[in-house]
């Protein structure tokens, strides 16, 4: 990464020269190039040298990756003293970096790309003031999609906008997925993000699961190809100084959630395999290993009815040390999902630790179990003092801590963070959301649109593509966008055709954190369905439905003149398809069930097992 000294804040790690002329950052400020500061040495050698110089407190800080906030102006979050460290919008950044000696952070929230770059530089300058000058690794959930869930994805203005992963799977083009991930890589690099908390290699075998929208669908072979291409787009053929590391999740496959409930919540703590299909869910992870994923995240849930202990995967030694490290030989970083140890409060409501199967254990013992299971890092936690207590109490050896510390530091060296962690805010503003990247994302949105039906009741000819200049009645479409395609009218009776944009139904639960998870039912109530069918009865109607999960829509499919599905697409991207300006290529990445009874009768771990779906996996029509 290039040097831009005029755009950076001061740092106590000046660029010096060794006696032989080799430039190096004097991270510990002693004027001598130590082995860990020597850019010529292999990453593993530098990491081993640095671990030998670290105190237990410094090693313990490495083992935690929690959320950190950003102010809109790109400054560090530094609230009043006494703010809780487990609240990313209130926790003190400097206290975590210089007090707790932490240097891995999951960026929570967003700002304009220029401000994010400036924030990175301020954070790295703060890290440079610590005794050994260890730089920060910044991570993020996906930022280039339509979904905005603080636990799963962060829609970020200023970044290119793409369909969600099921849409990429609907296109099925590995080169497109690789290019998409490469663009994500370039945007992340520009603002200083070096670790992607994605892709998800989970399979969408349980239609009700709220996180279907983060998967590459229900088919293991398709998902494996997409996951591998995504990782190669982020990391390249090998991890290096221009890579963004991939943390593939959620091992060993988080899809088979009991009744489709999510393991963020106690009622979703069980992962079940009524079809005895545990190994099938490993197929996309095997592709991730082959592609060289740098990191793995286990999920919250606890396996029920398998050979493994019924305890959450982050605590599960049989899964992490036995299956992941042993059977698959994975020697990269294992980071738990967020918040397995400490009860917290989110959006004003209590949010218990996701210590499923370990609820009875105290915080100290939970950390002990996680480390004994083989994890290197605790996600969403900021309690290195517990690791210190475990070591000093003789419950965990310092050699065990060193093992994880070397892994974590080795990746920082490979990524080049020790040699240059700073970025150029001007470049961030130019690269992120550039016309080239935005156009590529919009084109992918249109390509992913999936035509399910095109059969007007009053005509033998297909309705699509629509003719420019028609009188349009729309719902869920911005009028100014619709006006670019036809004359917008106020009622269905005035229209030649109606275009309705709707979304897959879900059960509304609490108004707090749970409200971000679209879970439960997939079918429309009579009250929800009636206005849609009334419009369809009045005028030929195109219904476009956002398929964040597999919707149950037999009535709409029967009455709509045309029915299309999207997986994250703007009004213009969909209307371009409907009016023949773009070609839809989508094929369903999961089946659409015919009824909720089919869904409820299905096996959580079996893909596409309704027996008689309304639309099968792979369905999609061509138009024109």
């Amino acid at each position: 990464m290039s040097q831009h000294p005029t755009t950076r804040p001061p740092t106590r790690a000046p660029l010096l020269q060794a006696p032989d002329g080799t430039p190096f950052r004097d991270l510990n400020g002693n004027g001598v190039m130590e082995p860990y500061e020597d850019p010529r040495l292999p990453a593993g050698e530098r990491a081993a040298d640095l671990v030998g110089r670290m105190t237990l407190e410094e090693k313990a800080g490495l083992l935690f990756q929690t959320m950190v906030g950003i102010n809109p102006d790109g400054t560090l979050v530094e609230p009043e003293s006494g703010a809780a460290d487990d609240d990313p919008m209130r926790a003190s950044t400097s206290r975590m970096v210089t007090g707790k000696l932490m240097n891995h952070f999951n960026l929570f929230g967003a700002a304009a790309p220029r401000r994010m770059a400036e924030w990175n530089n301020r954070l790295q300058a703060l890290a440079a003031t610590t005794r050994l000058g260890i730089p920060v690794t910044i991570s993020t959930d996906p930022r280039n999609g339509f979904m905005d869930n603080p636990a799963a994805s962060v829609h970020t203005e200023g970044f290119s906008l793409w369909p969600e992963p099921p849409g990429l799977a609907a296109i099925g083009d590995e080169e497109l997925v690789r290019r998409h991930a490469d663009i994500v890589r370039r945007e992340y690099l520009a603002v200083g993000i070096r670790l992607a908390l994605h892709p998800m290699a989970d399979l969408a075998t349980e239609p009700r699961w709220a996180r279907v929208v983060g998967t590459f669908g229900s088919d293991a072979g398709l998902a494996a190809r997409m996951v591998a291409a995504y990782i190669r787009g982020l990391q390249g053929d090998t991890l290096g100084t221009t890579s963004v590391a991939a943390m593939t999740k959620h091992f060993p496959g988080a899809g088979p959630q009991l009744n489709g409930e999510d393991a963020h919540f106690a009622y979703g703590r069980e992962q079940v395999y009524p079809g005895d299909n545990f190994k099938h869910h490993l197929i996309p992870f095997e592709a991730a290993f082959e592609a060289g994923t740098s990191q793995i995240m286990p999920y919250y849930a606890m396996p029920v009815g398998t050979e493994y202990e019924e305890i959450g995967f982050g605590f599960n030694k049989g899964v992490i040390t036995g299956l992941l490290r042993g059977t698959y030989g994975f020697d990269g970083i294992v980071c738990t999902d967020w918040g397995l140890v400490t009860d917290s409060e989110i959006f004003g409501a209590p949010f218990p630790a996701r210590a499923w199967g370990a609820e009875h254990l105290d915080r100290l013992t939970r950390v002990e179990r996680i480390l004994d299971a083989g994890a290197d890092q605790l996600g969403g936690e900021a309690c290195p003092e517990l690791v210190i207590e475990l070591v000093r109490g003789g419950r965990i050896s310092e050699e065990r801590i060193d093992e994880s510390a070397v892994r974590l530091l080795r990746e920082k060296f490979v990524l080049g963070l020790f040699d240059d962690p700073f970025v150029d805010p001007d470049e961030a503003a130019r690269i992120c959301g550039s016309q080239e990247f935005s156009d590529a994302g919009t084109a992918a949105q249109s390509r992913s649109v999936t035509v399910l039906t095109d059969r007007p009741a009053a005509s033998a000819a297909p309705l699509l593509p629509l003719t420019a200049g028609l009188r349009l009645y729309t719902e869920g479409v911005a009028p100014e966008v619709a006006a670019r395609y036809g004359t917008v009218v106020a009622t269905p009776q005035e229209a030649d055709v109606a275009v309705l944009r709707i979304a897959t139904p879900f059960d509304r639960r609490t108004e707090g954190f749970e409200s971000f998870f679209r879970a439960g039912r997939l079918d429309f109530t009579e009250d929800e369905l009636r206005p849609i069918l009334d419009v369809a009865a009045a005028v030929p109607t195109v219904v476009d439905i956002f398929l964040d999960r597999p919707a149950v829509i037999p009535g709409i499919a029967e009455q709509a003149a045309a029915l299309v599905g999207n997986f994250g697409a703007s009004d213009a991207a969909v209307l371009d398809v409907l009016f023949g300006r773009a070609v839809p290529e989508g094929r369903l990445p999961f089946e659409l069930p015919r009824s909720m009874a089919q869904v409820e009768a299905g096996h959580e771990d079996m893909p596409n097992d309704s027996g008689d779906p309304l639309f099968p996996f792979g369905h999609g029509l061509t138009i024109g």
Side-chain angles (χ1 to χ4, degrees):
M1 295 166 68
S2 59
Q3 299 286 328
H4 300 281
T6 60
T7 65
R8 298 176 183 163
T11 169
R12 75 175 279 261
L15 194 64
L16 302 182
Q17 282 192 345
D20 66 356
T22 300
F24 71 98
R25 293 182 71 224
D26 186 20
L27 296 163
N28 62 4
N30 69 354
V32 177
M33 184 170 66
E34 308 289 1
Y36 85 94
E37 297 168 332
D38 188 345
R40 300 167 301 181
L41 295 179
E45 189 174 331
R46 297 176 75 181
D49 175 76
L50 180 54
V51 167
R53 300 172 185 275
M54 296 174 72
T55 65
L56 175 59
E57 288 78 6
E58 288 164 335
K59 295 172 189 177
L62 273 175
L63 272 57
F64 291 82
Q65 177 178 175
T66 195
M67 294 81 72
V68 65
I70 180 173
N71 291 320
D73 63 356
T75 56
L76 304 180
V77 173
E78 298 292 357
E80 298 291 331
S81 62
D85 287 333
D86 59 359
D87 184 339
M89 302 313 293
R90 294 166 49 208
S92 165
T93 305
S94 62
R95 188 165 66 248
M96 288 191 286
V97 174
T98 64
K100 291 178 177 286
L101 303 177
M102 294 170 59
N103 46 59
H104 294 81
F105 294 104
N106 170 202
L107 177 56
F108 188 93
R114 177 185 296 278
R115 301 307 177 208
M116 291 174 71
E118 293 170 347
W119 172 84
N120 168 80
N121 291 350
R122 291 184 175 102
L123 181 57
Q124 298 294 359
L126 176 64
T129 68
T130 59
R131 186 178 73 91
L132 295 168
I134 298 172
V136 168
T137 301
I138 298 169
S139 69
T140 187
D141 284 312
R143 289 181 176 269
N144 293 76
F146 286 78
M147 296 297 292
D148 198 12
N149 179 337
S153 57
V154 189
H155 174 72
T156 303
E157 294 294 333
F159 282 50
S160 58
L161 190 57
W162 295 73
E164 300 292 341
L168 297 172
I171 301 170
D173 182 342
E174 290 170 65
E175 177 54 29
L176 172 67
V177 173
R178 189 208 61 78
R179 186 188 177 209
H180 161 63
D182 179 65
I183 289 172
V184 170
R185 176 190 68 85
R186 292 162 70 180
E187 292 183 324
Y188 283 6
L189 280 177
V191 300
I193 294 169
R194 302 307 305 273
L195 172 60
L197 305 179
H198 45 99
M200 283 176 59
D202 310 305
L203 296 176
T205 53
E206 167 47 68
R208 291 168 289 185
W209 187 36
R211 303 199 67 182
V212 165
V213 72
T215 74
F216 288 106
S218 60
D219 181 81
L222 175 60
R225 292 192 293 110
M226 300 294 100
V227 165
Y230 198 101
I231 291 168
R232 291 189 174 105
L234 286 177
Q235 297 189 168
D237 292 334
T238 58
L239 199 70
T241 58
T242 60
S243 300
V244 168
M247 185 186 289
T248 304
K249 59 190 185 184
H250 305 84
F251 191 81
Q257 292 294 132
L258 178 65
N259 298 324
E261 298 292 4
D262 190 74
H264 277 87
F265 311 103
Y267 50 72
R269 66 204 291 267
E270 296 183 4
Q271 200 158 298
V272 296
Y273 301 89
D276 194 25
N277 210 27
F278 181 93
K279 292 182 179 179
H280 187 76
H281 290 259
L282 294 169
I283 293 172
F285 290 95
E286 293 167 351
F289 301 143
E290 179 68 23
T293 185
S294 180
Q295 302 197 25
I296 287 289
M297 177 193 291
Y299 204 38
Y300 297 120
M302 50 186 280
V304 175
T306 72
E307 65 183 274
Y308 298 102
E309 182 183 1
E310 292 190 1
I311 194 169
F313 289 120
F315 301 92
N316 203 308
K317 190 169 186 176
V319 169
I320 296 176
T321 294
L323 181 60
L324 180 59
R325 299 259 191 232
T327 301
Y328 287 114
F330 181 72
D331 191 39
I333 294 166
V334 176
C335 179
T336 73
D337 212 329
W338 267 223
L340 270 61
V341 174
T342 307
D343 295 340
S344 60
E345 183 177 289
I346 296 185
F347 301 116
F351 194 45
R354 273 69 72 205
W356 311 139
E359 294 96 332
H360 60 291
L361 301 178
D362 61 24
R363 293 171 71 231
L364 192 65
T365 307
R366 289 175 185 175
V367 174
E368 181 182 27
R369 284 294 304 262
I370 289 167
L371 294 174
D372 183 63
D376 298 300
Q377 197 169 56
L378 284 77
E381 297 284 351
C383 47
E385 65 277 4
L386 296 182
V387 171
I388 296 167
E389 183 176 349
L390 286 169
V391 174
R392 290 189 173 151
R395 293 169 64 173
I396 293 285
S397 71
E398 191 161 355
E399 290 73 23
R400 169 66 187 87
I401 304 306
D402 290 353
E403 179 184 334
S404 290
V406 168
R407 281 198 188 100
L408 292 158
L409 289 170
R410 182 178 61 200
E411 180 166 287
K412 287 181 186 284
F413 283 113
V414 169
L415 293 174
L417 284 166
F418 276 88
D419 303 317
D420 188 1
F422 297 98
V423 296
D424 184 344
D426 291 337
E427 284 290 284
R430 182 185 66 82
I431 289 171
C432 295
S434 69
Q435 194 64 53
E436 176 192 353
F437 293 174
S438 295
D439 288 348
T442 299
Q445 294 171 36
S446 292
R447 288 181 67 186
S448 67
V449 170
T450 302
V451 181
L452 301 173
T453 67
D454 184 16
R455 44 174 173 69
S459 170
L463 180 65
L464 302 178
L466 301 174
T467 303
L470 291 172
R471 290 172 295 176
L472 294 176
Y473 172 76
T474 66
E475 294 180 9
V477 180
E480 64 273 16
V481 176
R484 303 203 296 260
Y485 299 83
T487 301
V488 179
V489 297
T491 66
Q493 290 73 23
E494 301 171 76
D496 299 311
V497 66
V499 176
L500 310 182
R501 299 201 70 193
I502 62 175
T504 298
F506 61 99
D507 285 326
R508 297 186 183 275
R509 293 177 176 170
T510 68
E511 294 301 315
F513 192 58
E514 277 182 292
S515 65
F516 292 97
F517 289 79
R518 298 164 60 95
R521 67 183 172 93
L522 300 160
D523 59 342
F524 288 83
T525 66
E526 288 189 14
D527 287 343
E528 293 167 338
L529 194 58
R530 187 177 303 110
I532 299 169
L533 299 186
D534 285 348
V535 173
V539 63
T541 299
V542 182
V543 175
D544 167 57
I545 183 167
F546 175 46
L547 294 172
D548 63 317
R549 298 181 300 146
V552 174
I553 46 174
I556 295 172
E558 178 63 30
Q559 297 300 319
L563 174 62
V564 303
N566 81 81
F567 306 92
S570 68
D571 291 343
V574 171
L575 290 173
D576 276 353
V577 167
L578 300 184
F579 281 86
R581 301 180 188 179
V583 178
E585 301 177 31
R587 300 293 181 267
L588 282 176
F590 37 66
E591 69 177 15
L592 299 190
R594 191 175 295 276
S595 68
M596 279 305 296
Q598 281 186 343
V599 173
E600 291 158 1
H603 292 156
E604 286 90 340
D605 58 331
M606 299 295 290
N608 309 315
D609 68 337
S610 72
D612 179 31
L614 182 66
F615 297 108
F617 167 83
H619 175 77
L621 306 178
T622 57
I623 63 175

